[in-house]
Amino acid sequence: MLRYHGGMTALLAIDTSGALCSLAIHAAGRWFEHTHKVERLHNRVVLQDLERLTVQAGVPRNGFRAVAFGAGPGSFTGVRIAAAVAQAVALASDGEVVPVRSSLALATVAGARLEPTARGETQRLLTVTRSRRDAYYLAGYQRGTDGTWQLRLEERLHQGEALPAVLTEPWIGAGDRPPWWPRAWSFLDDDACRVTARVIGELALDALARGEGLPPSAAVPFYVTGDSPWKPARP
């Protein structure tokens, strides 16, 4: 069985689910990172970035025992680029993959910016990620007693200009602020909640320590019911 955390071999983390192209490598107890904003050019730069980072970290391209990636929901094409690269590298390395929910990564970053609550007080966070036009991915998390965020409101796609009916109580929001967000509810904007590959990698290390590594064939995006940018052709 592979051992992670203490004495683990190299981990690669990839996130191309948004405007950033972000890569991180954990090797010999150190993090090596490269993140830059590329908008829709991930396919042109991700392999070049990977080549440079492996040289910097001293890890061969087929030397990863695990590859983590931001599995969405997020950019339709970006998420699939990360999944494809993760699968290819894991196959070449005879390693495992760890798909990480992008909403969990966002909740983790945003949650670190929140003030601690009183003992026993519930803290809830709604992640909001723009899909297209007036459509947003939503997911609700609650902070557990161990400080981690647990999914309480399943990922869903909300379209329209009205507050979703499911949000019957106040939430703290994080990510892309939608126009329908109530003024009385707190919101942590995207600039304050920057998700990078290192965040994906750190969540993956925890998952691997729990024995949650998967075969390369499982490197697929998280799908949200009813979400597709494709429209049927006119008859």
Side-chain angles (χ1 to χ4, degrees):
M1 180 181 293
L2 297 176
R3 292 191 304 122
Y4 295 93
H5 285 302
M8 77 162 282
T9 48
L11 165 83
L12 169 65
I14 308 166
D15 188 37
T16 56
S17 63
L20 300 179
C21 182
S22 184
L23 301 174
I25 292 174
H26 186 266
R30 295 179 58 195
W31 282 102
F32 302 84
E33 306 173 63
H34 181 65
T35 298
H36 57 140
K37 189 173 183 179
V38 298
E39 294 295 346
R40 297 188 177 97
L41 300 177
H42 301 85
N43 61 314
R44 298 187 184 182
V45 301
V46 65
L47 295 181
Q48 297 174 5
D49 291 349
L50 176 59
E51 179 69 19
R52 295 191 189 100
L53 199 59
T54 54
V55 171
Q56 181 184 348
V59 179
R61 285 171 289 182
N62 63 346
F64 296 99
R65 296 308 301 163
V67 185
F69 67 100
S75 162
F76 181 84
T77 302
V79 169
R80 284 152 184 78
I81 289 172
V85 174
Q87 186 176 78
V89 174
L91 280 170
S93 302
D94 192 25
E96 296 177 312
V97 297
V98 184
V100 175
R101 289 179 184 266
S102 298
S103 60
L104 175 59
L106 177 54
T108 300
V109 173
R113 300 183 61 86
L114 296 177
E115 294 292 333
T117 58
R119 187 173 181 178
E121 183 179 341
T122 300
Q123 196 168 45
R124 299 185 308 162
L125 186 67
L126 187 80
T127 62
V128 185
T129 304
R130 187 173 183 179
S131 171
R132 55 193 179 274
R133 295 185 182 178
D134 63 345
Y136 293 83
Y137 298 113
L138 309 178
Y141 287 84
Q142 181 174 309
R143 195 193 295 271
T145 56
D146 60 354
T148 61
W149 292 92
Q150 309 298 324
L151 188 65
R152 289 293 178 265
L153 181 64
E154 288 287 341
E155 269 110 346
R156 63 195 63 210
L157 183 70
H158 175 69
Q159 300 185 70
E161 300 179 355
L163 181 72
V166 70
L167 303 183
T168 57
E169 297 179 282
W171 289 75
I172 299 172
D176 301 315
R177 185 194 297 263
W180 42 259
W181 191 259
R183 291 185 179 181
W185 296 8
S186 299
F187 199 95
L188 299 171
D189 290 314
D190 186 54
D191 289 341
C193 304
R194 190 169 179 255
V195 174
T196 64
R198 177 163 175 173
V199 177
I200 300 295
E202 289 173 342
L203 290 169
L205 287 177
D206 292 338
L208 290 165
R210 297 191 297 267
E212 297 176 3
L214 301 172
S217 60
V220 295
F222 287 123
Y223 292 99
V224 176
T225 302
D227 178 30
S228 174
W230 307 114
K231 301 293 183 183
R234 292 181 179 180

